[in-house]
Amino acid sequence: MTGIIYLLPSSIPFPLLFSFDPRISRLELPEVPSLPTDKVALDQFPTYEVFHQRKENAAYAYVGPVHAPEADVAFLFAKEQFSRRFPCTGMWVVPTSAIKVTEYGDDQQSVYDRLPLLPADELGTAAATGQESYDIFHLKKRGKAHAHVGQVQAASPEAALQAAKAAFGDQRPVVNVWVIRSADLLRSDDEDRDMWTTTPDKKYREAISYKVQDRIDRFKQEG
Amino acid sequence: MYGSASTHDIPAKATTGLENEDPILLAEFEARIARGEKIEPTDWMPQLYRKQLTRMIEQHAHSEIIGSLPEGTWITRAPGFRRKMAQMAKVQDEVGHAQLLYSAAETLGKTREQMLSDLVNGKSKYSNVFNYPTPTWADSNVISWLIDAGAIVNQMANAKGSYGPYCRALDRICAEEAFHLKYGHDAVVHMATGTPIQRKMMQEALNRWWPAIMTFFGPSDKMSTHTEILMRWKVKMATNDACRQQFLDMYVPKIWEIGLTLPDANLRKNEEGVWEFSEPDWEDFKRVINGDGPCNAERIAVRRAAEENGAWVRRAMQQPKAQYVRPLA
């Protein structure tokens, strides 16, 4: 034996859960659960939003959130969650709290039309202070995913939205815009691109690998 | 993997609460859905919509987590390396689906914490079929093929629903389920067309699972005010009966063509193209869903153990200053 100590049931003070499945019985779980456990509020991690690139040169598109204690871990979770089944050539993660969101418009409209103009002096002073890069994402239709449209230079998220209107405002419809300071996005490195190439090996995960009709036909013929 | 069977609908007596909603906002909300537009998390929505969707998506997420247990237990015992890998990939998919769904439910305002607590404390339901055991490899195959097939019928319908985050999650989920379905079909066909012993094992598994499968979509809908409103709001996309009929139409011929039989003498398609069958035992269904099934205690105990055994990892990674932020979309 490998040094695993099997406790005799009699040494345990509560009746054990019996399962026909030996793997479950070996867990030695109590038959009757102890008191209800209430998870402490915020026993969960902050959320990060994830964008992926389906193929080279395609726009990054939103795929969903993950919970993680920090950006690196969020990236790992995101890779596991969103790239393990579908082709992917790049991934970005960003803390949810770092995203500036406009209001949602109707399909067929552009939210840029409803954007209040910032006073010129505010934009002016902004230009004087340090400019930063912002990434802009558009939602074209409700229920679809936000997609990356490009970057603008601005001194604040509000100014970035104005700059986005000037740069991308002719695109339509735009139901919603996300503005993200470029520095807040954790991006996969081009050098590490081989980490996305595992998917093609795993043919057993593809529906197309299962050609069952031949077997059915043979069975019917042999009747 | 999910059917309507676990969705405990709001009792017909409960009021819709609509009289308390702002009539202008309500009209705008309904007009948006009527135009075929999706609702996004920051939009105004009636309480009933939020409540019913939260319940539905949460139960769907729980079903994915709990549904991975009866199949997960067969990973180490699956016949052959390739099947072990495939079974593992499928179980991993199901758990991933739960993650997507919890996030979608979170956008409606209930935290993931609360949902996980409600699951291990027995406050939330999950698909009732997972309260039954998988005593043989063939039982696991029946889940992979037919329970997933039922879930796909349900999920394809729900993917056309009105709530944006749920649709986004379901689009991904449906794409992955295509593999599950083919994998499950392949496994069942392999057994059914194999040696007499394999064939017998598969037939017995099918006999064990058929009654549960027939309850998968839930009892006939009573057309209450709620059903009518939830269908108009595209929360509920098809009646339980319509889903069941679609499932029978798609899969009974596939079961029969490989020489398997179904343990219901009354099962047949009538002249009008409608499937007739013996009414499932809804009393038994109620008993099991309320806790008295063969595996209810085991499923929750295993889930609770996983939760408790992983607590130290989460504690170690906790950032005390981190603030929870509801996901955006």
Side-chain angles (χ1 to χ4, degrees):
Chain A
M1 294 301 285
T2 52
I4 300 168
I5 298 163
Y6 290 99
L7 291 175
L8 291 172
S10 59
S11 68
I12 295 171
F14 44 79
L16 292 177
L17 182 82
F18 171 78
S19 172
F20 70 89
D21 184 343
R23 293 176 49 224
I24 304 291
S25 293
R26 248 179 268 141
L27 293 173
E28 297 184 336
L29 302 170
E31 193 179 13
V32 180
S34 39
L35 293 171
T37 57
D38 230 348
K39 286 167 73 70
V40 191
L42 294 190
D43 167 14
Q44 63 186 345
F45 303 125
T47 53
Y48 288 76
E49 307 292 343
V50 184
F51 302 89
H52 85 161
Q53 186 186 42
R54 248 177 194 288
K55 55 178 188 223
E56 299 286 341
N57 301 322
Y60 277 75
Y62 177 67
V63 280
V66 291
H67 287 252
E70 57 181 34
D72 285 339
V73 182
F75 189 88
L76 283 177
F77 288 170
K79 180 177 180 293
E80 198 55 36
Q81 175 81 12
F82 298 111
S83 85
R84 50 183 286 281
R85 290 303 303 282
F86 300 104
C88 175
T89 51
M91 196 164 264
W92 298 345
V93 299
V94 62
T96 302
S97 53
I99 303 180
K100 180 180 165 55
V101 189
T102 66
E103 58 182 301
Y104 278 78
D106 298 339
D107 283 353
Q108 318 304 335
Q109 288 182 343
S110 171
V111 282
Y112 284 123
D113 296 346
R114 293 199 258 155
L115 207 58
L117 280 176
L118 279 186
D121 55 323
E122 212 169 295
L123 285 172
T125 50
T129 57
Q131 298 249 337
E132 275 189 286
S133 173
Y134 285 85
D135 282 277
I136 308 298
F137 297 82
H138 284 180
L139 179 64
K140 278 188 176 168
K141 189 174 187 324
R142 286 162 164 274
K144 299 294 174 197
H146 286 73
H148 188 243
V149 290
Q151 288 186 331
V152 294
Q153 299 294 316
S156 68
E158 293 73 25
L161 197 51
Q162 298 291 341
K165 181 178 180 177
F168 316 114
D170 53 339
Q171 300 186 8
R172 252 147 232 273
V174 183
V175 173
N176 182 252
V177 182
W178 286 356
V179 178
I180 303 172
R181 202 167 63 104
S182 304
D184 289 335
L185 282 156
L186 176 66
R187 297 165 206 257
S188 57
D189 222 322
D190 242 12
E191 282 173 26
D192 300 331
R193 59 176 45 217
D194 57 340
M195 76 172 156
W196 309 114
T197 56
T198 55
T199 313
D201 304 341
K202 302 181 177 172
K203 292 275 180 266
Y204 56 83
R205 298 193 309 199
E206 307 298 326
I208 200 159
S209 313
Y210 295 89
K211 296 196 170 57
V212 72
Q213 198 55 46
D214 296 350
R215 212 180 156 97
I216 297 174
D217 292 342
R218 209 164 53 234
F219 171 78
K220 283 182 178 166
Q221 274 165 18
E222 287 166 5
Chain B
M1 304 203 290
Y2 184 55
S4 317
S6 58
T7 309
H8 273 210
D9 283 315
I10 295 169
K13 274 180 279 172
T15 64
T16 57
L18 282 186
E19 61 282 4
N20 299 325
E21 305 285 4
D22 180 326
I24 295 174
L25 291 174
L26 183 61
E28 283 172 1
F29 168 85
E30 292 197 329
R32 185 181 299 290
I33 291 173
R35 285 200 298 276
E37 289 187 15
K38 306 286 183 187
I39 302 301
E40 292 287 352
T42 51
D43 292 335
W44 181 91
M45 58 187 87
Q47 281 308 314
L48 179 65
Y49 182 84
R50 191 182 292 277
K51 197 169 155 190
Q52 186 68 6
L53 263 175
T54 305
R55 186 192 316 240
M56 213 169 117
I57 303 173
E58 179 184 349
Q59 288 180 0
H60 188 170
H62 293 333
S63 303
E64 301 281 355
I65 290 266
I66 299 294
S68 70
L69 299 177
E71 283 180 296
T73 195
W74 279 97
I75 292 173
T76 56
R77 293 172 288 172
F81 184 65
R82 191 185 153 88
R83 287 198 188 82
K84 283 185 172 62
M85 296 295 280
Q87 184 93 351
M88 188 152 53
K90 178 177 186 303
V91 167
Q92 203 177 7
D93 281 354
E94 308 294 7
V95 177
H97 295 171
Q99 300 291 349
L100 292 172
L101 292 160
Y102 282 128
S103 296
E106 268 180 90
T107 63
L108 289 159
K110 184 166 183 179
T111 65
R112 193 169 60 157
E113 253 39 54
Q114 194 56 57
M115 291 186 264
L116 291 171
S117 292
D118 287 353
L119 174 61
V120 297
N121 292 331
K123 274 189 215 159
S124 297
K125 302 290 181 198
Y126 51 85
S127 195
N128 196 38
V129 290
F130 302 124
N131 289 321
Y132 295 91
T134 43
T136 72
W137 169 243
D139 292 73
S140 174
N141 297 159
V142 171
I143 295 189
S144 300
W145 184 31
L146 294 174
I147 298 296
D148 276 58
I152 291 171
V153 166
N154 202 52
Q155 288 165 358
M156 295 288 261
N158 284 346
K160 297 188 194 79
S162 64
Y163 190 56
Y166 193 32
C167 298
R168 275 188 286 274
L170 285 174
D171 284 345
R172 263 196 107 74
I173 290 171
C174 289
E176 294 185 3
E177 296 274 7
F179 144 60
H180 301 176
L181 187 62
K182 286 281 196 170
Y183 162 72
H185 190 199
D186 184 84
V188 171
V189 169
H190 192 93
M191 295 283 278
T193 62
T195 66
I197 293 174
Q198 286 175 322
R199 190 172 177 75
K200 180 163 173 276
M201 186 187 261
M202 181 50 70
Q203 182 62 60
E204 286 171 359
L206 192 57
N207 293 350
R208 270 192 292 277
W209 277 85
W210 190 250
I213 289 171
M214 288 304 289
T215 63
F216 184 73
F217 297 101
S220 283
D221 310 76
K222 291 181 207 73
M223 279 311 260
S224 67
T225 334
H226 277 104
T227 317
E228 195 260 324
I229 290 173
L230 293 173
M231 287 188 93
R232 189 170 76 224
W233 288 349
K234 296 186 185 167
V235 172
K236 195 170 174 57
M237 296 302 291
T239 63
N240 297 351
D241 287 325
C243 286
R244 189 166 18 241
Q245 284 290 329
Q246 193 189 339
F247 171 82
L248 292 172
D249 216 31
M250 287 168 83
Y251 293 97
V252 172
K254 284 187 200 292
I255 293 167
W256 283 343
E257 80 173 342
I258 47 177
L260 295 171
T261 58
L262 291 169
D264 179 359
N266 297 324
L267 183 72
R268 65 178 196 102
K269 198 172 180 174
N270 68 19
E271 297 76 33
E272 286 123 51
V274 178
W275 286 89
E276 292 173 359
F277 46 83
S278 310
E279 193 61 24
D281 184 349
W282 295 111
E283 283 310 309
D284 188 61
F285 171 79
K286 248 188 248 167
R287 185 178 61 77
V288 174
I289 204 168
N290 286 324
D292 192 18
C295 289
N296 301 52
E298 174 177 333
R299 300 287 184 241
I300 297 294
V302 168
R303 180 62 229 149
R304 181 189 278 253
E307 186 65 42
E308 287 167 0
N309 294 343
W312 70 272
V313 180
R314 292 191 300 275
R315 260 200 311 278
M317 293 172 102
Q318 199 91 51
Q319 314 266 325
K321 285 187 186 149
Q323 284 292 311
Y324 172 68
V325 181
R326 195 191 286 184
L328 282 178

